[in-house]
PDB file of all heavy atoms in Angstrom:
ATOM      1  N   LEU A  22      64.732 -52.878  13.084  1.00 98.00           N
ATOM      2  CA  LEU A  22      64.323 -51.667  12.369  1.00 98.00           C
ATOM      3  C   LEU A  22      63.238 -50.965  13.173  1.00 98.00           C
ATOM      4  O   LEU A  22      62.326 -51.619  13.686  1.00 98.00           O
ATOM      5  CB  LEU A  22      63.780 -52.047  10.991  1.00 98.00           C
ATOM      6  CG  LEU A  22      63.176 -50.942  10.121  1.00 98.00           C
ATOM      7  CD1 LEU A  22      64.259 -49.998   9.622  1.00 98.00           C
ATOM      8  CD2 LEU A  22      62.424 -51.560   8.933  1.00 98.00           C
ATOM      9  N   ALA A  23      63.335 -49.646  13.309  1.00 98.00           N
ATOM     10  CA  ALA A  23      62.329 -48.864  14.030  1.00 98.00           C
ATOM     11  C   ALA A  23      61.747 -47.798  13.112  1.00 98.00           C
ATOM     12  O   ALA A  23      62.487 -47.060  12.447  1.00 98.00           O
ATOM     13  CB  ALA A  23      62.942 -48.213  15.262  1.00 98.00           C
ATOM     14  N   LEU A  24      60.422 -47.721  13.067  1.00 98.00           N
ATOM     15  CA  LEU A  24      59.710 -46.702  12.297  1.00 98.00           C
ATOM     16  C   LEU A  24      59.038 -45.741  13.264  1.00 98.00           C
ATOM     17  O   LEU A  24      58.238 -46.165  14.108  1.00 98.00           O
ATOM     18  CB  LEU A  24      58.649 -47.345  11.396  1.00 98.00           C
ATOM     19  CG  LEU A  24      59.055 -48.575  10.576  1.00 98.00           C
ATOM     20  CD1 LEU A  24      57.890 -49.053   9.726  1.00 98.00           C
ATOM     21  CD2 LEU A  24      60.272 -48.285   9.708  1.00 98.00           C
ATOM     22  N   ILE A  25      59.364 -44.458  13.154  1.00 98.00           N
ATOM     23  CA  ILE A  25      58.816 -43.466  14.077  1.00 98.00           C
ATOM     24  C   ILE A  25      57.652 -42.739  13.406  1.00 98.00           C
ATOM     25  O   ILE A  25      57.846 -41.928  12.502  1.00 98.00           O
ATOM     26  CB  ILE A  25      59.897 -42.468  14.513  1.00 98.00           C
ATOM     27  CG1 ILE A  25      60.987 -43.209  15.301  1.00 98.00           C
ATOM     28  CG2 ILE A  25      59.294 -41.349  15.352  1.00 98.00           C
ATOM     29  CD1 ILE A  25      62.138 -42.336  15.747  1.00 98.00           C
ATOM     30  N   GLN A  26      56.447 -43.063  13.839  1.00 97.00           N
ATOM     31  CA  GLN A  26      55.246 -42.403  13.325  1.00 97.00           C
ATOM     32  C   GLN A  26      54.979 -41.184  14.200  1.00 97.00           C
ATOM     33  O   GLN A  26      54.331 -41.259  15.236  1.00 97.00           O
ATOM     34  CB  GLN A  26      54.066 -43.377  13.315  1.00 97.00           C
ATOM     35  CG  GLN A  26      52.805 -42.783  12.691  1.00 97.00           C
ATOM     36  CD  GLN A  26      51.780 -43.823  12.342  1.00 97.00           C
ATOM     37  OE1 GLN A  26      51.954 -44.604  11.395  1.00 97.00           O
ATOM     38  NE2 GLN A  26      50.694 -43.867  13.090  1.00 97.00           N
ATOM     39  N   LEU A  27      55.507 -40.055  13.772  1.00 96.00           N
ATOM     40  CA  LEU A  27      55.568 -38.837  14.580  1.00 96.00           C
ATOM     41  C   LEU A  27      54.334 -37.957  14.384  1.00 96.00           C
ATOM     42  O   LEU A  27      53.850 -37.794  13.265  1.00 96.00           O
ATOM     43  CB  LEU A  27      56.825 -38.055  14.186  1.00 96.00           C
ATOM     44  CG  LEU A  27      57.153 -36.781  14.953  1.00 96.00           C
ATOM     45  CD1 LEU A  27      57.674 -37.129  16.347  1.00 96.00           C
ATOM     46  CD2 LEU A  27      58.198 -35.960  14.191  1.00 96.00           C
ATOM     47  N   HIS A  28      53.848 -37.385  15.479  1.00 95.00           N
ATOM     48  CA  HIS A  28      52.832 -36.336  15.376  1.00 95.00           C
ATOM     49  C   HIS A  28      53.543 -35.029  15.046  1.00 95.00           C
ATOM     50  O   HIS A  28      54.388 -34.563  15.804  1.00 95.00           O
ATOM     51  CB  HIS A  28      52.055 -36.194  16.682  1.00 95.00           C
ATOM     52  CG  HIS A  28      51.055 -35.064  16.644  1.00 95.00           C
ATOM     53  ND1 HIS A  28      49.839 -35.175  16.012  1.00 95.00           N
ATOM     54  CD2 HIS A  28      51.120 -33.792  17.117  1.00 95.00           C
ATOM     55  CE1 HIS A  28      49.193 -34.025  16.114  1.00 95.00           C
ATOM     56  NE2 HIS A  28      49.943 -33.178  16.775  1.00 95.00           N
ATOM     57  N   VAL A  29      53.212 -34.446  13.903  1.00 93.00           N
ATOM     58  CA  VAL A  29      53.903 -33.251  13.408  1.00 93.00           C
ATOM     59  C   VAL A  29      53.071 -32.010  13.697  1.00 93.00           C
ATOM     60  O   VAL A  29      51.883 -31.943  13.359  1.00 93.00           O
ATOM     61  CB  VAL A  29      54.173 -33.368  11.899  1.00 93.00           C
ATOM     62  CG1 VAL A  29      54.874 -32.119  11.377  1.00 93.00           C
ATOM     63  CG2 VAL A  29      55.005 -34.614  11.603  1.00 93.00           C
ATOM     64  N   SER A  30      53.715 -31.007  14.320  1.00 92.00           N
ATOM     65  CA  SER A  30      53.044 -29.740  14.609  1.00 92.00           C
ATOM     66  C   SER A  30      53.567 -28.657  13.669  1.00 92.00           C
ATOM     67  O   SER A  30      54.429 -28.905  12.817  1.00 92.00           O
ATOM     68  CB  SER A  30      53.292 -29.338  16.059  1.00 92.00           C
ATOM     69  OG  SER A  30      54.618 -28.837  16.214  1.00 92.00           O
ATOM     70  N   ALA A  31      53.088 -27.439  13.847  1.00 90.00           N
ATOM     71  CA  ALA A  31      53.533 -26.313  13.025  1.00 90.00           C
ATOM     72  C   ALA A  31      54.816 -25.695  13.558  1.00 90.00           C
ATOM     73  O   ALA A  31      55.359 -24.772  12.936  1.00 90.00           O
ATOM     74  CB  ALA A  31      52.426 -25.261  12.951  1.00 90.00           C
ATOM     75  N   VAL A  32      55.315 -26.194  14.699  1.00 93.00           N
ATOM     76  CA  VAL A  32      56.510 -25.610  15.325  1.00 93.00           C
ATOM     77  C   VAL A  32      57.705 -26.518  15.032  1.00 93.00           C
ATOM     78  O   VAL A  32      57.827 -27.611  15.587  1.00 93.00           O
ATOM     79  CB  VAL A  32      56.321 -25.448  16.851  1.00 93.00           C
ATOM     80  CG1 VAL A  32      57.548 -24.779  17.469  1.00 93.00           C
ATOM     81  CG2 VAL A  32      55.067 -24.620  17.134  1.00 93.00           C
ATOM     82  N   LYS A  33      58.588 -26.055  14.158  1.00 91.00           N
ATOM     83  CA  LYS A  33      59.710 -26.879  13.709  1.00 91.00           C
ATOM     84  C   LYS A  33      60.587 -27.349  14.864  1.00 91.00           C
ATOM     85  O   LYS A  33      60.973 -28.517  14.932  1.00 91.00           O
ATOM     86  CB  LYS A  33      60.557 -26.110  12.697  1.00 91.00           C
ATOM     87  CG  LYS A  33      61.704 -26.936  12.122  1.00 91.00           C
ATOM     88  CD  LYS A  33      62.646 -26.095  11.266  1.00 91.00           C
ATOM     89  CE  LYS A  33      62.010 -25.655   9.986  1.00 91.00           C
ATOM     90  NZ  LYS A  33      62.987 -25.008   9.071  1.00 91.00           N
ATOM     91  N   SER A  34      60.895 -26.455  15.793  1.00 92.00           N
ATOM     92  CA  SER A  34      61.786 -26.815  16.902  1.00 92.00           C
ATOM     93  C   SER A  34      61.178 -27.924  17.757  1.00 92.00           C
ATOM     94  O   SER A  34      61.891 -28.821  18.234  1.00 92.00           O
ATOM     95  CB  SER A  34      62.091 -25.594  17.765  1.00 92.00           C
ATOM     96  OG  SER A  34      60.897 -25.018  18.289  1.00 92.00           O
ATOM     97  N   ASP A  35      59.866 -27.870  17.976  1.00 95.00           N
ATOM     98  CA  ASP A  35      59.196 -28.933  18.736  1.00 95.00           C
ATOM     99  C   ASP A  35      59.269 -30.266  17.996  1.00 95.00           C
ATOM    100  O   ASP A  35      59.498 -31.322  18.608  1.00 95.00           O
ATOM    101  CB  ASP A  35      57.730 -28.567  18.994  1.00 95.00           C
ATOM    102  CG  ASP A  35      57.570 -27.440  19.995  1.00 95.00           C
ATOM    103  OD1 ASP A  35      58.592 -27.055  20.620  1.00 95.00           O
ATOM    104  OD2 ASP A  35      56.448 -26.930  20.144  1.00 95.00           O
ATOM    105  N   ASN A  36      59.054 -30.221  16.686  1.00 93.00           N
ATOM    106  CA  ASN A  36      59.114 -31.449  15.890  1.00 93.00           C
ATOM    107  C   ASN A  36      60.499 -32.076  15.961  1.00 93.00           C
ATOM    108  O   ASN A  36      60.639 -33.290  16.125  1.00 93.00           O
ATOM    109  CB  ASN A  36      58.767 -31.140  14.426  1.00 93.00           C
ATOM    110  CG  ASN A  36      57.333 -30.680  14.248  1.00 93.00           C
ATOM    111  OD1 ASN A  36      56.450 -31.066  15.011  1.00 93.00           O
ATOM    112  ND2 ASN A  36      57.100 -29.862  13.235  1.00 93.00           N
ATOM    113  N   LEU A  37      61.530 -31.245  15.837  1.00 94.00           N
ATOM    114  CA  LEU A  37      62.901 -31.745  15.891  1.00 94.00           C
ATOM    115  C   LEU A  37      63.225 -32.350  17.249  1.00 94.00           C
ATOM    116  O   LEU A  37      63.832 -33.415  17.345  1.00 94.00           O
ATOM    117  CB  LEU A  37      63.887 -30.610  15.576  1.00 94.00           C
ATOM    118  CG  LEU A  37      63.966 -30.158  14.121  1.00 94.00           C
ATOM    119  CD1 LEU A  37      64.787 -28.882  13.999  1.00 94.00           C
ATOM    120  CD2 LEU A  37      64.575 -31.264  13.261  1.00 94.00           C
ATOM    121  N   GLN A  38      62.800 -31.657  18.310  1.00 96.00           N
ATOM    122  CA  GLN A  38      63.085 -32.135  19.662  1.00 96.00           C
ATOM    123  C   GLN A  38      62.394 -33.470  19.925  1.00 96.00           C
ATOM    124  O   GLN A  38      63.002 -34.404  20.462  1.00 96.00           O
ATOM    125  CB  GLN A  38      62.642 -31.091  20.690  1.00 96.00           C
ATOM    126  CG  GLN A  38      62.952 -31.479  22.129  1.00 96.00           C
ATOM    127  CD  GLN A  38      62.559 -30.391  23.114  1.00 96.00           C
ATOM    128  OE1 GLN A  38      61.974 -29.379  22.749  1.00 96.00           O
ATOM    129  NE2 GLN A  38      62.874 -30.596  24.381  1.00 96.00           N
ATOM    130  N   ARG A  39      61.127 -33.567  19.536  1.00 96.00           N
ATOM    131  CA  ARG A  39      60.382 -34.799  19.794  1.00 96.00           C
ATOM    132  C   ARG A  39      60.923 -35.941  18.928  1.00 96.00           C
ATOM    133  O   ARG A  39      61.038 -37.082  19.381  1.00 96.00           O
ATOM    134  CB  ARG A  39      58.896 -34.578  19.540  1.00 96.00           C
ATOM    135  CG  ARG A  39      58.023 -35.719  20.040  1.00 96.00           C
ATOM    136  CD  ARG A  39      56.569 -35.336  20.196  1.00 96.00           C
ATOM    137  NE  ARG A  39      55.960 -34.946  18.934  1.00 96.00           N
ATOM    138  CZ  ARG A  39      55.704 -33.691  18.592  1.00 96.00           C
ATOM    139  NH1 ARG A  39      56.014 -32.710  19.420  1.00 96.00           N
ATOM    140  NH2 ARG A  39      55.144 -33.408  17.438  1.00 96.00           N
ATOM    141  N   ALA A  40      61.268 -35.628  17.681  1.00 96.00           N
ATOM    142  CA  ALA A  40      61.817 -36.655  16.797  1.00 96.00           C
ATOM    143  C   ALA A  40      63.116 -37.213  17.353  1.00 96.00           C
ATOM    144  O   ALA A  40      63.305 -38.439  17.404  1.00 96.00           O
ATOM    145  CB  ALA A  40      62.032 -36.081  15.400  1.00 96.00           C
ATOM    146  N   CYS A  41      63.996 -36.338  17.796  1.00 97.00           N
ATOM    147  CA  CYS A  41      65.280 -36.799  18.337  1.00 97.00           C
ATOM    148  C   CYS A  41      65.081 -37.614  19.610  1.00 97.00           C
ATOM    149  O   CYS A  41      65.790 -38.605  19.848  1.00 97.00           O
ATOM    150  CB  CYS A  41      66.205 -35.608  18.597  1.00 97.00           C
ATOM    151  SG  CYS A  41      66.836 -34.838  17.082  1.00 97.00           S
ATOM    152  N   GLY A  42      64.094 -37.237  20.420  1.00 97.00           N
ATOM    153  CA  GLY A  42      63.800 -37.997  21.628  1.00 97.00           C
ATOM    154  C   GLY A  42      63.329 -39.405  21.307  1.00 97.00           C
ATOM    155  O   GLY A  42      63.750 -40.376  21.957  1.00 97.00           O
ATOM    156  N   LEU A  43      62.491 -39.541  20.286  1.00 98.00           N
ATOM    157  CA  LEU A  43      61.998 -40.862  19.900  1.00 98.00           C
ATOM    158  C   LEU A  43      63.090 -41.693  19.224  1.00 98.00           C
ATOM    159  O   LEU A  43      63.111 -42.922  19.350  1.00 98.00           O
ATOM    160  CB  LEU A  43      60.789 -40.715  18.980  1.00 98.00           C
ATOM    161  CG  LEU A  43      59.515 -40.207  19.672  1.00 98.00           C
ATOM    162  CD1 LEU A  43      58.435 -39.877  18.652  1.00 98.00           C
ATOM    163  CD2 LEU A  43      58.997 -41.217  20.691  1.00 98.00           C
ATOM    164  N   VAL A  44      64.002 -41.030  18.522  1.00 98.00           N
ATOM    165  CA  VAL A  44      65.154 -41.742  17.947  1.00 98.00           C
ATOM    166  C   VAL A  44      65.999 -42.349  19.068  1.00 98.00           C
ATOM    167  O   VAL A  44      66.423 -43.507  18.995  1.00 98.00           O
ATOM    168  CB  VAL A  44      66.003 -40.799  17.073  1.00 98.00           C
ATOM    169  CG1 VAL A  44      67.336 -41.460  16.717  1.00 98.00           C
ATOM    170  CG2 VAL A  44      65.250 -40.417  15.808  1.00 98.00           C
ATOM    171  N   ARG A  45      66.238 -41.566  20.116  1.00 98.00           N
ATOM    172  CA  ARG A  45      67.010 -42.077  21.257  1.00 98.00           C
ATOM    173  C   ARG A  45      66.291 -43.259  21.918  1.00 98.00           C
ATOM    174  O   ARG A  45      66.922 -44.242  22.309  1.00 98.00           O
ATOM    175  CB  ARG A  45      67.234 -40.953  22.279  1.00 98.00           C
ATOM    176  CG  ARG A  45      68.148 -39.829  21.773  1.00 98.00           C
ATOM    177  CD  ARG A  45      68.420 -38.808  22.869  1.00 98.00           C
ATOM    178  NE  ARG A  45      69.251 -37.723  22.353  1.00 98.00           N
ATOM    179  CZ  ARG A  45      68.791 -36.536  21.936  1.00 98.00           C
ATOM    180  NH1 ARG A  45      67.475 -36.296  21.972  1.00 98.00           N
ATOM    181  NH2 ARG A  45      69.619 -35.625  21.473  1.00 98.00           N
ATOM    182  N   GLU A  46      64.981 -43.150  22.020  1.00 98.00           N
ATOM    183  CA  GLU A  46      64.195 -44.242  22.615  1.00 98.00           C
ATOM    184  C   GLU A  46      64.318 -45.504  21.779  1.00 98.00           C
ATOM    185  O   GLU A  46      64.496 -46.606  22.312  1.00 98.00           O
ATOM    186  CB  GLU A  46      62.726 -43.814  22.702  1.00 98.00           C
ATOM    187  CG  GLU A  46      61.776 -44.895  23.193  1.00 98.00           C
ATOM    188  CD  GLU A  46      60.324 -44.469  23.116  1.00 98.00           C
ATOM    189  OE1 GLU A  46      60.016 -43.337  23.578  1.00 98.00           O
ATOM    190  OE2 GLU A  46      59.505 -45.239  22.574  1.00 98.00           O
ATOM    191  N   ALA A  47      64.236 -45.359  20.461  1.00 98.00           N
ATOM    192  CA  ALA A  47      64.342 -46.518  19.577  1.00 98.00           C
ATOM    193  C   ALA A  47      65.722 -47.155  19.672  1.00 98.00           C
ATOM    194  O   ALA A  47      65.862 -48.378  19.697  1.00 98.00           O
ATOM    195  CB  ALA A  47      64.042 -46.100  18.137  1.00 98.00           C
ATOM    196  N   SER A  48      66.741 -46.319  19.740  1.00 98.00           N
ATOM    197  CA  SER A  48      68.106 -46.832  19.866  1.00 98.00           C
ATOM    198  C   SER A  48      68.283 -47.596  21.166  1.00 98.00           C
ATOM    199  O   SER A  48      68.905 -48.661  21.205  1.00 98.00           O
ATOM    200  CB  SER A  48      69.107 -45.676  19.795  1.00 98.00           C
ATOM    201  OG  SER A  48      70.406 -46.104  20.099  1.00 98.00           O
ATOM    202  N   ALA A  49      67.710 -47.061  22.249  1.00 98.00           N
ATOM    203  CA  ALA A  49      67.820 -47.723  23.549  1.00 98.00           C
ATOM    204  C   ALA A  49      67.142 -49.093  23.546  1.00 98.00           C
ATOM    205  O   ALA A  49      67.498 -49.969  24.341  1.00 98.00           O
ATOM    206  CB  ALA A  49      67.202 -46.839  24.627  1.00 98.00           C
ATOM    207  N   LYS A  50      66.198 -49.289  22.626  1.00 98.00           N
ATOM    208  CA  LYS A  50      65.502 -50.571  22.523  1.00 98.00           C
ATOM    209  C   LYS A  50      66.117 -51.476  21.449  1.00 98.00           C
ATOM    210  O   LYS A  50      65.493 -52.449  21.024  1.00 98.00           O
ATOM    211  CB  LYS A  50      64.015 -50.334  22.247  1.00 98.00           C
ATOM    212  CG  LYS A  50      63.298 -49.684  23.431  1.00 98.00           C
ATOM    213  CD  LYS A  50      61.807 -49.566  23.189  1.00 98.00           C
ATOM    214  CE  LYS A  50      61.104 -48.954  24.412  1.00 98.00           C
ATOM    215  NZ  LYS A  50      59.641 -48.833  24.212  1.00 98.00           N
ATOM    216  N   GLY A  51      67.312 -51.122  21.015  1.00 98.00           N
ATOM    217  CA  GLY A  51      68.065 -52.020  20.159  1.00 98.00           C
ATOM    218  C   GLY A  51      67.954 -51.798  18.672  1.00 98.00           C
ATOM    219  O   GLY A  51      68.497 -52.587  17.882  1.00 98.00           O
ATOM    220  N   ALA A  52      67.271 -50.738  18.240  1.00 98.00           N
ATOM    221  CA  ALA A  52      67.139 -50.491  16.804  1.00 98.00           C
ATOM    222  C   ALA A  52      68.480 -50.068  16.216  1.00 98.00           C
ATOM    223  O   ALA A  52      69.194 -49.242  16.788  1.00 98.00           O
ATOM    224  CB  ALA A  52      66.090 -49.414  16.544  1.00 98.00           C
ATOM    225  N   LYS A  53      68.826 -50.641  15.072  1.00 98.00           N
ATOM    226  CA  LYS A  53      70.070 -50.305  14.370  1.00 98.00           C
ATOM    227  C   LYS A  53      69.824 -49.373  13.190  1.00 98.00           C
ATOM    228  O   LYS A  53      70.719 -48.640  12.775  1.00 98.00           O
ATOM    229  CB  LYS A  53      70.751 -51.582  13.876  1.00 98.00           C
ATOM    230  CG  LYS A  53      71.105 -52.564  14.988  1.00 98.00           C
ATOM    231  CD  LYS A  53      72.049 -51.932  16.004  1.00 98.00           C
ATOM    232  CE  LYS A  53      72.451 -52.944  17.071  1.00 98.00           C
ATOM    233  NZ  LYS A  53      73.310 -52.320  18.114  1.00 98.00           N
ATOM    234  N   VAL A  54      68.609 -49.451  12.634  1.00 98.00           N
ATOM    235  CA  VAL A  54      68.187 -48.545  11.564  1.00 98.00           C
ATOM    236  C   VAL A  54      66.875 -47.908  12.015  1.00 98.00           C
ATOM    237  O   VAL A  54      65.920 -48.620  12.347  1.00 98.00           O
ATOM    238  CB  VAL A  54      67.986 -49.288  10.230  1.00 98.00           C
ATOM    239  CG1 VAL A  54      67.525 -48.315   9.143  1.00 98.00           C
ATOM    240  CG2 VAL A  54      69.276 -49.991   9.799  1.00 98.00           C
ATOM    241  N   VAL A  55      66.836 -46.576  12.031  1.00 98.00           N
ATOM    242  CA  VAL A  55      65.668 -45.841  12.515  1.00 98.00           C
ATOM    243  C   VAL A  55      65.193 -44.910  11.408  1.00 98.00           C
ATOM    244  O   VAL A  55      66.005 -44.245  10.754  1.00 98.00           O
ATOM    245  CB  VAL A  55      66.000 -45.036  13.786  1.00 98.00           C
ATOM    246  CG1 VAL A  55      64.769 -44.282  14.279  1.00 98.00           C
ATOM    247  CG2 VAL A  55      66.535 -45.957  14.882  1.00 98.00           C
ATOM    248  N   VAL A  56      63.874 -44.870  11.192  1.00 98.00           N
ATOM    249  CA  VAL A  56      63.323 -44.099  10.081  1.00 98.00           C
ATOM    250  C   VAL A  56      62.275 -43.112  10.593  1.00 98.00           C
ATOM    251  O   VAL A  56      61.382 -43.479  11.361  1.00 98.00           O
ATOM    252  CB  VAL A  56      62.673 -45.016   9.026  1.00 98.00           C
ATOM    253  CG1 VAL A  56      62.328 -44.213   7.764  1.00 98.00           C
ATOM    254  CG2 VAL A  56      63.585 -46.184   8.681  1.00 98.00           C
ATOM    255  N   LEU A  57      62.390 -41.858  10.141  1.00 97.00           N
ATOM    256  CA  LEU A  57      61.404 -40.820  10.427  1.00 97.00           C
ATOM    257  C   LEU A  57      60.448 -40.684   9.232  1.00 97.00           C
ATOM    258  O   LEU A  57      60.785 -41.069   8.111  1.00 97.00           O
ATOM    259  CB  LEU A  57      62.108 -39.487  10.688  1.00 97.00           C
ATOM    260  CG  LEU A  57      62.891 -39.402  12.001  1.00 97.00           C
ATOM    261  CD1 LEU A  57      63.849 -38.221  11.985  1.00 97.00           C
ATOM    262  CD2 LEU A  57      61.938 -39.298  13.185  1.00 97.00           C
ATOM    263  N   PRO A  58      59.260 -40.116   9.456  1.00 95.00           N
ATOM    264  CA  PRO A  58      58.275 -40.041   8.374  1.00 95.00           C
ATOM    265  C   PRO A  58      58.557 -38.919   7.381  1.00 95.00           C
ATOM    266  O   PRO A  58      59.398 -38.045   7.621  1.00 95.00           O
ATOM    267  CB  PRO A  58      56.968 -39.756   9.123  1.00 95.00           C
ATOM    268  CG  PRO A  58      57.392 -39.013  10.334  1.00 95.00           C
ATOM    269  CD  PRO A  58      58.717 -39.618  10.734  1.00 95.00           C
TER     270      PRO A  58
END
């Protein structure tokens, strides 16, 4: 299980891009269930 503690900004597109990048990172490290805040 991976929990992504994301730094959230006022720019939605930046938040989405960074969140998806960290999801990919978690998946590459073997996470099967990934959770965003």
Side-chain angles (χ1 to χ4, degrees):
L22 175 70
L24 314 181
I25 296 178
Q26 184 164 289
L27 184 74
H28 176 78
V29 179
S30 76
V32 183
K33 183 188 291 188
S34 58
D35 289 351
N36 295 331
L37 287 170
Q38 182 177 5
R39 191 162 62 256
C41 289
L43 289 171
V44 168
R45 293 185 182 98
E46 175 186 312
S48 172
K50 293 185 178 180
K53 301 301 183 183
V54 179
V55 180
V56 190
L57 290 164

